[in-house]
């Protein structure tokens, strides 16, 4: 049966979203002869169709080739708003557009909202996980994470040269919200000396001692410290009050603490990578994941399935009930996982075992 399939991107953008759109349009059009419509700005495109009509893109094979390596999302996205106070209008928007099914690409927050909408609206709906935070449950891979890790590692490479030239400690604050996956992966791949993540408590004394050991025992006069934006306040914090609510940012907070702890003997600089981590051309791995997920999502719809998320498990793309995914999202770093152990075994400071 011919379908009219909607597709939207929701939440913070990331590299690889356009590659998903390309795969969905290609497979839905060529294999199943469906019509695909792109819904602009996520649920806003369904909500504001009458008041301020946002243009609904008809998507076909013309012009989709450049999408494979294009960052951002041609559909636009939103990561704020009171969507759940407009459930009825959004559901009406779906029907107004004559949609038979919808593919929603989002992180855990967006997927929770879309799940509620699909359930109340009785939509045929398949989710595709994307986020640079890598915190969606039940999947080993999401669209966007790999590129963000590569972007951070590139920054760490650059900072290492200048740190070494000036005998400095470089503190690099990375995104990730409440999860430490970005900091952990990029910190290991970029050879960081210290990695601070939300899931593992640490002390300023521990960081200072580690830097002193690098200097005194191994004659390393520079260091790279990767700090997740959501890292906790140090267990032995001395200046939390002056940085109250951390309006100064986690990287700056650690820098201030380390200066204090070292009697201003360490020359420290802070880099906050910010939205650079969300931009850029998707890596080969993200293009691969995006393409495989897009294809699988279309096949699930063709198979009559709904309320599922495509997930990467044991090297395969599988379908997982959305409810199950949401029950274990956000998915945080397990402090006992093999990557944490790997970092520790290479004598990276990643928090104090045993403090809580
Ligand atoms: O969830 C993705 C993310 O980039 C987080 O890592 C970060 O905390 C947040 O979005 C930033 O959101 P905004 O784009 O609204 O500043």
């Amino acid at each position: 049966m011919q379908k009219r399939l909607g597709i939207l991107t929701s939440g913070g953008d990331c590299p690889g979203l356009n590659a998903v759109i390309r795969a969905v349009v290609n497979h839905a059009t060529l294999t199943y002869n469906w019509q695909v419509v792109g819904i602009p700005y996520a649920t806003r495109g369904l909500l504001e169709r009458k008041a301020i009509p946002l243009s609904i893109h008809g998507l076909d094979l013309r012009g989709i080739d450049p999408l494979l390596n294009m960052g951002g999302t041609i559909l636009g996205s939103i990561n704020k708003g009171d969507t759940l106070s407009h459930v009825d209008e959004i559901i009406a928007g779906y029907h107004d557009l004559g949609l038979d099914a919808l593919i929603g690409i989002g992180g855990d927050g967006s997927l929770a909202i879309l799940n509620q909408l699909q359930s109340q609206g009785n939509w045929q709906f398949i989710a595709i996980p994307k986020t640079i935070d890598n915190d969606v449950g039940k999947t080993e891979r999401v669209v966007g994470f790999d590129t963000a890790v590569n972007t951070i590692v590139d920054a760490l490479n650059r900072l290492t040269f200048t740190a070494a030239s000036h005998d400095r400690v470089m503190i690099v604050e990375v995104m990730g919200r409440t999860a430490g996956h970005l900091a952990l992966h990029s910190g290991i791949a970029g050879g960081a000396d210290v990695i601070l993540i939300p899931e593992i408590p640490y002390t300023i004394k521990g960081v200072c001692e580690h830097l002193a050991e690098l200097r005194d025992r191994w004659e390393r006069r520079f260091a790279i410290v990767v700090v997740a934006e959501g890292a906790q306040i140090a267990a032995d914090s001395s200046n939390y009050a002056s940085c109250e609510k951390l309006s100064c940012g986690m990287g700056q907070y650690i820098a201030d603490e380390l200066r204090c702890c070292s009697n201003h003997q360490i020359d420290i600089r802070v880099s906050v990578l910010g939205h650079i981590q969300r931009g850029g051309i998707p890596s080969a791995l993200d293009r691969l994941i995006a393409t495989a997920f897009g294809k699988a999502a279309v096949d699930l719809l063709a198979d009559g399935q709904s309320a599922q998320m495509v997930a990467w498990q044991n090297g395969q793309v599988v379908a997982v009930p959305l409810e199950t995914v949401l029950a274990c999202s956000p998915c945080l770093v397990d402090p006992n996982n093999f990557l944490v152990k790997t970092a520790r075994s290479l004598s990276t400071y990643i928090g104090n075992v045993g403090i809580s």
Side-chain angles (χ1 to χ4, degrees):
M1 190 191 81
Q2 234 232 352
K3 272 189 195 294
R4 188 166 152 86
L5 167 64
I7 182 166
L8 59 81
T9 50
S10 182
D13 75 326
C14 66
L17 295 175
N18 285 325
V20 177
I21 296 168
R22 170 182 175 269
V24 166
V25 172
N26 203 315
H27 193 41
T29 312
L30 280 183
T31 310
Y32 296 108
N33 195 27
W34 294 346
Q35 245 191 327
V36 184
V37 291
I39 296 161
Y41 301 103
T43 47
R44 236 187 88 196
L46 294 173
L47 178 66
E48 295 180 10
R49 74 212 176 279
K50 282 186 183 140
I52 317 164
L54 290 162
S55 70
I56 304 295
H57 307 255
L59 295 168
D60 60 25
L61 290 177
R62 269 169 302 212
I64 61 164
D65 282 338
L67 295 184
L68 182 60
N69 61 11
M70 194 191 285
T73 164
I74 55 161
L75 297 177
S77 192
I78 50 168
N79 65 355
K80 299 206 164 47
D82 57 345
T83 309
L84 291 179
S85 15
H86 300 283
V87 170
D88 292 340
E89 295 115 290
I90 293 171
I91 291 173
Y94 175 93
H95 293 299
D96 277 2
L97 288 175
L99 298 179
D100 300 302
L102 181 69
I103 289 178
I105 312 161
D108 63 320
S110 300
L111 295 185
I113 292 169
L114 289 166
N115 187 43
Q116 185 166 333
L117 290 167
Q118 68 84 23
S119 157
Q120 277 182 245
N122 201 22
W123 300 346
Q124 192 189 6
F125 176 74
I126 298 294
I128 297 181
K130 67 85 215 171
T131 166
I132 67 162
D133 304 336
N134 198 30
D135 57 355
V136 177
K138 298 284 173 201
T139 182
E140 289 152 20
R141 296 192 188 286
V142 294
V143 176
F145 178 66
D146 182 66
T147 310
V149 170
N150 283 311
T151 302
I152 299 169
V153 170
D154 179 58
L156 297 182
N157 292 341
R158 291 163 194 266
L159 288 166
T160 301
F161 291 125
T162 172
S165 306
H166 288 270
D167 292 353
R168 280 177 172 156
V169 171
M170 291 290 182
I171 297 183
V172 186
E173 180 185 304
V174 304
M175 283 184 166
R177 278 195 307 169
T178 54
H181 302 284
L182 258 187
L184 180 61
H185 284 67
S186 60
I188 292 173
D193 303 291
V194 176
I195 302 172
L196 303 177
I197 61 174
E199 296 86 345
I200 303 182
Y202 64 95
T203 58
I204 296 300
K205 187 163 169 269
V207 177
C208 261
E209 283 174 358
H210 185 68
L211 297 179
E213 188 185 6
L214 284 178
R215 187 190 58 229
D216 300 339
R217 185 159 169 212
W218 305 110
E219 295 175 15
R220 268 280 305 286
R221 309 197 65 80
F222 71 94
I224 302 292
V225 177
V226 173
V227 182
E229 63 179 355
Q232 304 168 33
I233 298 299
D236 58 346
S237 186
S238 64
N239 73 354
Y240 179 43
S242 68
C243 234
E244 210 165 358
K245 298 209 175 96
L246 279 185
S247 54
C248 62
M250 210 55 209
Q252 189 58 50
Y253 161 77
I254 297 293
D256 292 347
E257 287 280 14
L258 289 181
R259 281 193 189 104
C260 249
C261 176
S262 69
N263 277 328
H264 297 264
Q265 293 306 300
I266 313 181
D267 193 11
I268 303 175
R269 294 292 185 274
V270 180
S271 298
V272 180
L273 296 189
H275 290 78
I276 287 172
Q277 296 159 95
R278 290 234 303 257
I281 292 173
S283 67
L285 180 57
D286 271 333
R287 295 180 206 186
L288 190 87
I289 297 165
T291 305
F293 277 175
K295 183 254 181 218
V298 170
D299 285 341
L300 285 173
L301 291 173
D303 194 36
Q305 301 209 41
S306 186
Q308 306 284 310
M309 185 188 84
V310 293
W312 197 290
Q313 292 181 356
N314 304 317
Q316 302 287 325
V317 178
V318 297
V320 183
L322 246 180
E323 289 290 353
T324 323
V325 173
L326 295 172
C328 61
S329 299
C331 168
L332 304 180
V333 173
D334 173 355
N336 294 311
N337 89 8
F338 71 100
L339 284 180
V340 173
K341 289 182 181 154
T342 302
R344 274 213 180 97
S345 65
L346 267 64
S347 71
T348 304
Y349 178 87
I350 190 166
N352 294 35
V353 185
I355 59 170
S356 55

